[in-house]
């Protein structure tokens, strides 16, 4: 059944510019049941194409107190359903006197079956939940031979990583009041703890850590971010041991370390590290990577030192212009600060970052703890999730609304770990290159999510280089922009669109490589047009929403259409062109239906 709707353009919206990048999304589950939280992490646990959320409730679990429930929230195409109980998390950790606290959540596919598993960390223990592949989880902590700590301990989280390059994920456990631990994956769904943790038994109250190959030898090194005492950097000795090399690599951070992340803020191909400190007297360091290995502290040069009482942090290309911004959440008891947004000015041909906290709109004042950046609504723009210890979480929707291009890449390993943690990606386009490291790690969390590239104004990605964790290189050529693709080790791009030059004066048809049951097509006709343009979408799945944006070539959004629910089958949305408002010329459109996005050009010719 064909449905036709007409959208008339009014002067009141024709020349509106979206000045604020983020708006807080009203998530009823957050505001009703979640008032004190620490870590958070995202993954597509049910493999339906969108990213789901796990948020850790800080206080000891009490079945009758909703705010003490850590929660699994299933993404249902941009809105969330609480599936905590039916997925197997109805009996959460607590001790007899209800004094223990819960801290971290880390997604990782420890058995390489394609389904994300979940590690939960808290005072006095760690729990591993196996994904059954049927949207449920079972506690396999004892079966996997993860032995609880024998003395009082508070675990802030764990890092999934393949430090020995054998193709499965090992586990590094972080603690506040005992030595960190290293467990080797045996490949049979069990782990063996290494005495002394191969010299990674750091005891400096670790809040986060980062896996990074700083000396470019193919073995993943480790930066351990500590609260009390020095943060420490360890060089991987070919998977046999680790050697402390903090001073040699100029990664000194003298205490109060909390959150951390890896990015490439200057697009030079060498990965950089940003660390937050929970102290006004200590700057947040930005360490720039170099070809030789040792880092250079660029905090003062780049202007990103003042993040107040910093906790969670992420690199984020909020406007998809091709350089990475920085987001910091902060707060401590009675100290009230806004979360900080640092805008990267490289693409504006300026030096350093500019604090853009108020302009960003992601400037909440609750005491922030965990922070994650991900595209929850599959529109190509990165959104922000913040856990707060004294308030419900924030979910900030990115409202950039500009025509900058983007690419999101899912990786699937065959001989390497399934989600290819440790892989390096480089996207080449218009004589530029953009670099990402696949690790997912942050404070009190680790996520499995697509690697996101903001690309600026480009027509296509000339090539994408994947360096898999085992060092093998694979290249995919001529990729269309503005899509989520999947690359399988040794098989190339298995889901996604190859770029094809559109034929002039011909209706534009764009198709995605997907299973036949999910394949949808977009037709834009007539194009060029003088009176109206129809956006026709075939094979719409059930429970879909529709969002259409039209932009001028300068990036001004001139039309926004949103339908919360459209029928299954075929839909036609007619855009009526008002000649008195819009002049002849080139325009850009972006169409988003459930987990599919199309972009392209419109020509108006009066």
């Amino acid at each position: 059944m064909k449905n036709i709707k007409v959208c008339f353009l009014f002067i009141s919206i024709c020349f509106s510019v979206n000045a604020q990048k983020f708006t807080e999304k009203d998530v009823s589950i957050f505001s009703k049941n979640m008032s004190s939280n620490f870590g958070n992490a995202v993954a597509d646990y049910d493999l339906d194409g969108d990213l789901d959320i796990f948020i850790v409730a800080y206080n000891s679990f009490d079945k009758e107190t909703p705010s003490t429930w850590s929660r699994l929230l299933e993404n249902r195409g941009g809105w969330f359903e609480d599936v905590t109980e039916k997925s197997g998390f109805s009996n959460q950790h607590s001790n007899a006197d209800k004094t223990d606290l819960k801290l971290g959540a880390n997604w990782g596919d420890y058995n390489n079956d394609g389904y994300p598993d979940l590690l939960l960390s808290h005072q006095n223990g760690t729990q591993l939940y196996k994904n059954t592949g049927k949207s449920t989880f079972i506690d396999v902590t004892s079966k996997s031979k993860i032995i609880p700590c024998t003395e009082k301990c508070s675990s802030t989280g764990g890092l999934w990583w393949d430090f020995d390059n054998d193709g499965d994920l090992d586990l590094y456990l972080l603690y506040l009041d005992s030595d960190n631990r290293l467990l080797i994956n045996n490949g049979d769904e069990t782990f063996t703890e290494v005495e002394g943790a191969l010299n990674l038994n750091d005891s400096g109250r670790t809040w986060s850590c980062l896996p990074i190959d700083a000396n470019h030898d193919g073995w993943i090194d480790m930066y351990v971010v500590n609260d009390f005492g020095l943060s420490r950097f360890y060089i991987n000795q070919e998977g046999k041991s680790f050697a402390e090399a903090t001073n040699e690599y100029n990664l000194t951070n003298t205490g109060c370390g909390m959150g951390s992340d890896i990015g490439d803020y200057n697009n030079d191909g060498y990965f950089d590290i940003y660390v937050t400190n929970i102290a006004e007297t200590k700057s947040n360091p930005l360490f720039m990577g170099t070809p030789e290995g040792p880092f250079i502290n660029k905090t003062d040069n780049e202007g990103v030192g003042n993040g107040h009482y910093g906790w969670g942090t992420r690199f984020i290309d909020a406007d998809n212009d091709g350089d990475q911004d920085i987001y910091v959440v902060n707060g401590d008891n009675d100290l009230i600060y806004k979360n900080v947004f640092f805008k990267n000015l490289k693409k504006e041909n300026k030096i350093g970052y500019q604090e853009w906290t108020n302009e960003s709109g992601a400037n909440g004042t609750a005491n922030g703890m965990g922070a994650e950046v991900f595209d929850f609504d599959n529109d190509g723009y990165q959104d922000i999730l913040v856990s707060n210890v004294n308030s419900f979480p924030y979910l900030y929707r990115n409202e950039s609304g500009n025509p900058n291009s983007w690419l999101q890449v899912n990786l699937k390993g065959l001989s390497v770990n399934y989600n290819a943690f440790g892989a390096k990606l480089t996207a080449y386009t218009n004589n530029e290159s953009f670099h990402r490291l696949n690790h997912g790690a942050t404070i009190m969390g680790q996520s499995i999510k697509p690697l996101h590239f903001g690309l600026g104004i480009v027509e296509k990605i000339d090539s994408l280089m994947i360096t898999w964790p085992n060092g093998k290189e694979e290249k995919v050529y001529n990729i269309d922009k503005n899509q989520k693709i999947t690359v399988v080790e040794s098989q190339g791009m298995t889901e996604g669109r190859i770029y094809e030059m559109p034929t002039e004066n011909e209706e534009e048809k764009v198709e995605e490589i997907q299973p036949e049951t999910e394949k949808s097509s977009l037709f834009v006709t007539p194009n060029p047009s003088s009176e109206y343009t129809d956006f026709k979408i075939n094979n719409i799945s059930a429970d879909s929403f529709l969002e259409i944006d039209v932009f001028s070539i300068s990036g001004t959004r001139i039309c926004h259409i949103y339908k919360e629910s459209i029928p299954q089958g075929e839909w036609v949305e007619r855009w009526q062109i008002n000649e008195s408002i819009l002049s002849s010329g080139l325009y850009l459109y972006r169409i988003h239906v459930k987990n599919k996005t199309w972009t392209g050009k419109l020509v108006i010719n009066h």
Side-chain angles (χ1 to χ4, degrees), residues 149-412:
C149 48
T150 56
E151 57 188 38
K152 182 180 179 181
C153 60
S154 296
S155 179
T156 59
L159 176 76
W160 295 108
W161 64 323
D162 185 10
F163 80 92
D164 51 6
N165 288 348
D166 66 350
D168 51 30
L169 292 176
D170 308 299
L171 183 57
Y172 185 53
L173 296 176
L174 316 180
Y175 293 96
L176 294 181
D177 39 24
S178 60
D179 292 351
N180 295 342
R181 301 163 63 195
L182 179 64
L183 286 71
I184 293 179
N185 193 327
N186 297 320
D188 59 358
E189 299 196 357
T190 68
F191 294 85
T192 299
E193 182 169 357
V194 183
E195 186 176 356
L198 302 182
N199 200 38
L200 288 178
N201 53 341
D202 200 293
S203 58
R205 289 182 62 90
T206 304
W207 281 99
S208 65
C209 64
L210 296 174
I212 181 171
D213 182 8
N215 59 354
H216 320 301
D217 67 349
W219 296 90
I220 301 175
D221 312 308
M222 172 73 79
Y223 189 48
V224 178
V225 178
N226 290 326
D227 185 3
F228 290 173
L230 229 60
S231 295
R232 296 183 180 92
F233 178 67
Y234 298 90
I235 289 290
N236 190 334
Q237 308 287 301
E238 298 185 352
K240 299 178 178 63
S241 66
F242 288 81
E244 203 253 316
T246 310
N247 292 334
E248 294 91 324
Y249 281 79
N250 194 35
L251 284 170
T252 300
N253 184 55
T254 55
C256 303
M258 294 288 155
S260 57
D261 198 12
I262 300 170
D264 183 16
Y265 80 93
N266 54 0
N267 290 335
D268 65 354
Y270 301 100
F271 293 113
D272 316 304
I273 292 174
Y274 186 73
V275 178
T276 61
N277 284 308
I278 186 169
E280 285 283 23
T281 58
K282 293 182 181 294
S283 293
N284 293 343
L286 175 60
F287 298 109
M288 183 184 76
T290 67
E292 297 77 21
F295 291 78
I296 300 173
N297 193 324
K298 305 291 285 188
T299 308
D300 293 337
N301 306 69
E302 300 298 338
V304 292
N306 187 12
H308 303 300
Y309 265 59
W311 287 82
T313 185
R314 277 301 197 193
F315 284 97
I316 172 175
D317 187 354
D319 50 5
N320 284 342
D321 67 346
D323 55 24
Q324 289 185 299
D325 314 304
I326 295 175
Y327 186 68
V328 180
V329 303
N330 62 74
D332 185 67
N333 297 322
D334 295 331
L335 297 175
I336 299 176
Y337 296 108
K338 295 177 180 178
N339 295 332
V340 178
F341 186 95
F342 293 109
K343 164 67 177 167
N344 194 332
L345 301 179
K346 298 292 183 296
K347 286 297 178 177
E348 286 77 19
N349 295 315
K350 296 180 182 179
I351 296 174
Y353 284 76
Q354 177 183 357
E355 188 183 326
W356 215 51
T357 298
N358 291 331
E359 292 87 342
S360 73
N363 55 350
T365 58
N367 288 349
M369 296 292 153
E372 188 52 280
V373 167
F374 71 115
D375 182 7
F376 83 86
D377 52 3
N378 284 322
D379 67 350
Y381 291 87
Q382 293 179 289
D383 312 297
I384 299 173
L385 173 67
V386 179
S387 296
N388 298 304
V389 75
N390 63 343
S391 176
F392 57 82
Y394 301 142
L395 179 59
Y396 292 111
R397 185 179 189 271
N398 192 325
E399 304 281 0
S400 291
N402 63 48
N404 286 335
S405 301
W406 54 274
L407 180 71
Q408 294 178 0
V409 184
N410 281 311
L411 298 176
K412 291 183 180 179

Side-chain angles (χ1 to χ4, degrees), residues 80 89 93 147 174 221 309 419 580:
F80 294 92
F89 294 103
H93 174 79
I147 301 172
L174 316 180
D221 312 308
Y309 265 59
N419 296 113
S580 65

Side-chain angles (χ1 to χ4, degrees), residues 66-80:
S67 64
T68 67
W69 285 64
S70 298
R71 296 184 184 274
L72 178 61
L73 307 178
E74 182 185 347
N75 192 334
R76 302 296 299 272
W79 60 276
F80 294 92

Side-chain angles (χ1 to χ4, degrees), residues 45-46 113 115-117 129-138:
Y45 85 93
D46 51 1
D113 66 351
Y115 290 93
D117 310 300
Y129 282 87
K130 177 182 175 180
N131 190 330
T132 66
K134 301 176 182 179
S135 296
T136 59
F137 293 80
I138 54 175

